[in-house]
Amino acid sequence: MTVYKTARRPRIHPARIGKHVFLIIASFISVFPFYWMIVSSTNPTADVIQGRLLPGTHLIENFKSLSASGLLYRAFLNSTWYTLVITFVSLLISSLAGYGFITFQDKGKKAVMSLLLLSMMVPAAATLIPMFRLFSQLGLVNSPLGYMIPAFATTFLVFMFKQSSESFPQELVHAARIDGLGEFSIFFRVFVPIMQPTYAAAATITFMNTWNAYLWPLVILQNPKSMTVPIFVALLQTGYVMDYGMIMLGVTLATLPTLIVFFVLQKSFVEGILGSLK
């Protein structure tokens, strides 16, 4: 007579259950503000104040109110142009600096990197007045260049590319030099393709920081036609009567580009960050 043994179900440890419950609650808390922001953009002000959590039918009216000033499309066009130019130039300059710190041997490069890292300790607000006076003397107030030049290279990106370049095989550089390639050819044809994850991570960080920049654009760009999206959204909160539905729609539209860029480059962003931390 054959005896069949019933398989025992694996016991679930209580600590594991508590961990999953905690993660579910934390995920809900993280996602809920985005959900409420999107839902509020479809509701009138009265429903937003009452805390309505269901989508409404006031989206088109909110969009008409948002675009009534005629500055919505101009602000998005300005932010897109500024962000793309700053991201491209910043990646180029910062990656060239990181490549140079690793490839070329010089006794003073450690001192230069130490000074760059020391500059990160200076708050951005402390440099606001000196920068404004400098750009005012150069005639760059209310100029796109006045806004973009300070963001063309950041210490964080230089340090990030320098750390990632430490794992770059120098044998490839020596082999390329033997084959007769110049330094710029080595950089663009050898270094850039291998360091694509780092470029993706740096592009994501630069895009998000530039798109969300508020203080320096507010100071240097004084013409309404030159305003960026964060300044446009901030102007929606002026006045005696707040249209919260319209404001939430503006915040939602301002958030979408950064979310899209992050989710598209998410995998490469993680690889690039991990590579810079090795």
Side-chain angles (χ1 to χ4, degrees):
M1 183 177 180
T2 305
V3 179
Y4 296 95
K5 296 182 178 179
T6 57
R8 295 182 177 179
R9 295 182 178 179
R11 298 180 60 183
I12 302 177
H13 199 276
R16 190 174 183 181
I17 297 176
K19 184 185 299 183
H20 282 79
V21 171
F22 172 77
L23 292 176
I24 292 174
I25 296 175
S27 300
F28 175 78
I29 294 175
S30 301
V31 174
F32 179 76
F34 293 97
Y35 171 78
W36 187 75
M37 176 184 68
I38 295 173
V39 168
S40 298
S41 65
T42 65
N43 289 316
T45 299
D47 291 341
V48 175
I49 295 176
Q50 292 176 3
R52 179 183 171 89
L53 298 179
L54 297 177
T57 59
H58 214 258
L59 177 62
I60 297 178
E61 288 76 5
N62 289 336
F63 184 78
K64 290 181 179 178
S65 300
L66 185 65
S67 57
S69 63
L71 297 176
L72 172 64
Y73 304 104
R74 187 69 182 180
F76 267 87
L77 182 63
N78 291 337
S79 287
T80 302
W81 167 249
Y82 297 151
T83 302
L84 292 179
V85 172
I86 290 175
T87 300
F88 176 78
V89 177
S90 181
L91 291 184
L92 178 62
I93 295 176
S94 300
S95 59
L96 279 170
Y99 172 80
F101 271 110
I102 296 300
T103 304
F104 302 105
Q105 302 299 324
D106 188 270
K107 295 181 180 180
K109 66 179 183 180
K110 291 185 178 180
V112 173
M113 178 54 66
S114 299
L115 289 175
L116 290 176
L117 294 177
L118 186 63
S119 67
M120 295 179 64
M121 301 177 62
V122 181
T127 63
L128 193 63
I129 295 178
M131 285 178 56
F132 180 79
R133 294 186 61 183
L134 173 63
F135 283 92
S136 178
Q137 294 174 1
L138 295 175
L140 294 177
V141 175
N142 201 28
S143 168
L145 282 178
Y147 165 50
M148 293 189 291
I149 287 177
F152 277 161
T154 62
T155 303
F156 176 79
L157 288 186
V158 173
F159 179 73
M160 180 178 175
F161 275 103
K162 185 256 183 186
Q163 291 297 108
S164 299
S165 301
E166 290 183 353
S167 60
F168 181 77
Q170 294 297 317
E171 294 80 6
L172 295 178
V173 177
H174 300 321
R177 288 172 179 171
I178 294 175
D179 291 339
L181 291 179
E183 294 299 332
F184 284 102
S185 297
I186 296 174
F187 174 79
F188 287 107
R189 299 173 61 179
V190 180
F191 180 82
V192 173
I194 294 178
M195 302 298 292
Q196 284 185 1
T198 305
Y199 276 95
T204 304
I205 295 173
T206 307
F207 185 94
M208 296 176 67
N209 290 339
T210 306
W211 185 270
N212 296 323
Y214 175 74
L215 186 58
W216 178 242
L218 179 65
V219 172
I220 200 69
L221 300 176
Q222 301 175 357
N223 189 343
K225 295 183 179 180
S226 302
M227 72 168 57
T228 59
V229 172
I231 298 177
F232 174 76
V233 173
L235 292 177
L236 297 177
Q237 304 178 33
T238 59
Y240 295 101
V241 180
M242 294 288 188
D243 190 345
Y244 291 106
M246 179 189 67
I247 293 174
M248 285 300 176
L249 180 59
V251 174
T252 302
L253 294 177
T255 307
L256 284 179
T258 57
L259 289 178
I260 294 173
V261 170
F262 179 79
F263 282 116
V264 170
L265 302 176
Q266 183 178 10
K267 184 178 180 181
S268 300
F269 174 79
V270 174
E271 293 177 359
I273 292 296
L274 292 177
S276 63
L277 295 177
K278 291 182 179 179

